[in-house]
């Protein structure tokens, strides 16, 4: 009998007919994330996924860390399995949770009895083990309302389990159950958060980054790859499509009215991202736009940028305040990298007085001076694909 990890599945259980494929996806994602930490047996029963080390070489702390970023998990605990017997449960709780029992002042025992053939009721089992623990750790007192430590006993089909301190999981849905999207990743604070939010809804992502060398530096590109790397534990493996954007921006500067630069530049980003999406079989684009945050993020500007593509555009941070986005960025782990001072391609080419409320007809007229298709094809031909694991 051994230490293991229990993952309580979240929304999965609500999904009726899809449940099986959701569970399979979650287990597959878990399997891949656990590879660096050893060989594990993974199986799911009654909305709980069990992760058992197959041998003594498994790194349980590493595995525990890896599971904290697994979308689809509502709650998680480290547990110890034992025989389905009241004394075995007591002995396991006493040794496995010894440190926590010694440190706590108040405790209670809670039992769940999924195996209905187990001879004791949940209440009788809790009372038995609770009493024995109280004898073994006499400094403890029982507090059924606000205990410092809750010892949980589960009697299930294959074995019994002892654990304490369940922690919230990453939430959301397993990456991959809701298809694939292309996330437009700049070096800023917002787009990594937006990508993370959509990955959380079970969407596998590939990233598009528009790169304006030499106006923006190699460091700026590296910063974006660093951000993508921070997202890998959440999203799984990622491909970053680095799109050369300099020629397009120079052409816009030559031929388009300065006040429409930003919106036209954005339209090129959307067109190219949509081509990437179609090529890889993705069904949506994701951006980090937030309503009213900057001039290019008005309703009218979003209308103009959205008008060039037919795939849905997800803007999950559209209704969030900057502070809320910053809080999310800290939680995801991207914030400190996002605030590094390297210029983004948009910053370099930002007009002094961008049009706040661009009109679609006027923007289209301004683009008539451009060889749109030629510019897109040239850019796409220069894409560098970088795989992150
Ligand atoms: P962010 O913090 O994500 O950079 P922002 O507030 O700076 O966003 P904008 O510069 O207006 O906003 O960009 C809006 C969105 O367009 C970004 O969130 C991102 O999705 C996309 N975008 C902007 N620049 C790039 C780029 N160089 N490469 C890829 N996507 C970009
Ligand atoms: Mg930005």
């Amino acid at each position: 009998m051994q230490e293991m990890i229990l993952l309580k599945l979240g929304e999965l259980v609500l999904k009726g007919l899809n449940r099986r494929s959701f569970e399979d996806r979650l287990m597959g994602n878990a399997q891949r994330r656990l590879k660096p930490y050893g060989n594990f047996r993974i199986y799911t029963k009654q909305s709980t996924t069990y992760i058992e080390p197959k041998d003594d070489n498994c790194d349980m702390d590493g595995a525990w860390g890896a599971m904290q970023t697994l979308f689809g998990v509502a709650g998680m605990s480290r547990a110890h399995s034992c025989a389905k017997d009241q004394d075995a449960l007591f002995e396991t709780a006493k040794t496995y949770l010894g440190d926590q029992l010694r440190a706590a002042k108040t405790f209670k025992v809670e039992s769940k009895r999924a195996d209905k053939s187990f001879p004791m009721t949940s209440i009788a089992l809790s009372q038995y083990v609770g009493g024995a623990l109280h004898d073994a750790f006499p400094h403890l007192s029982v507090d059924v309302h606000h205990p410092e430590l809750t010892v949980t006993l589960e009697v299930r089909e294959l074995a019994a389990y002892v654990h304490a301190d369940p922690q919230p999981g990453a939430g959301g849905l397993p990456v991959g159950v809701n298809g694939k999207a292309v996330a437009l990743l700049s070096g800023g604070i917002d787009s990594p958060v937006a990508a993370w939010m959509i990955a959380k809804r079970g969407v596998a992502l590939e990233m598009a980054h528009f790169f304006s060398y030499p106006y923006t530096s190699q460091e700026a590109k590296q910063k974006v790859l660093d951000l993508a790397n921070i997202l890998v534990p959440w999203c799984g493996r990622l491909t970053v499509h680095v799109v050369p954007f300099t020629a397009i921006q120079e052409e816009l500067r030559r031929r388009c009215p300065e006040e429409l630069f930003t919106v036209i530049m954005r339209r090129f980003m959307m067109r190219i991202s949509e081509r990437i999406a179609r090529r890889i079989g993705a069904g949506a684009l994701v951006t980090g736009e937030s309503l009213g945050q900057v001039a290019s993020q008005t309703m009218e500007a979003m209308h103009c940028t959205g008008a060039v593509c037919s795939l849905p555009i997800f803007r999950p941070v559209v209704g969030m305040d900057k502070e809320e986005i910053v809080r999310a960025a800290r939680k995801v782990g991207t914030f400190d990298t996002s605030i590094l001072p390297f210029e983004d391609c948009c910053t370099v080419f930002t007009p002094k007085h961008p049009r706040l409320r661009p009109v679609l007809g006027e923007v289209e007229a301004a683009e008539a001076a451009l060889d749109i298709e030629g510019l897109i094809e040239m850019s796409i031909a220069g894409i560098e694909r970088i795989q992150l694991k």
Side-chain angles (χ1 to χ4, degrees), residues 12 15-27 44:
L12 306 203
K15 295 283 173 174
L17 287 178
N18 285 329
R19 175 166 159 184
R20 199 37 217 285
S21 67
F22 280 42
E23 290 177 353
D24 288 348
R25 180 74 72 162
L26 185 117
M27 288 192 286
T44 301

Side-chain angles (χ1 to χ4, degrees), residues 263 266-267 289-308 313 315 318-319 355-360 363:
V263 64
R266 258 303 174 269
R267 281 160 63 89
E289 288 160 295
S290 170
L291 190 61
Q293 197 189 82
V294 292
S296 55
Q297 297 178 9
T298 60
M299 265 183 226
E300 293 81 355
M302 289 186 202
H303 175 222
C304 291
T305 48
V308 293
I313 301 168
R315 299 177 172 98
V318 74
R355 182 79 66 79
L356 277 178
R357 314 211 176 278
V359 177
L360 184 57
V363 172

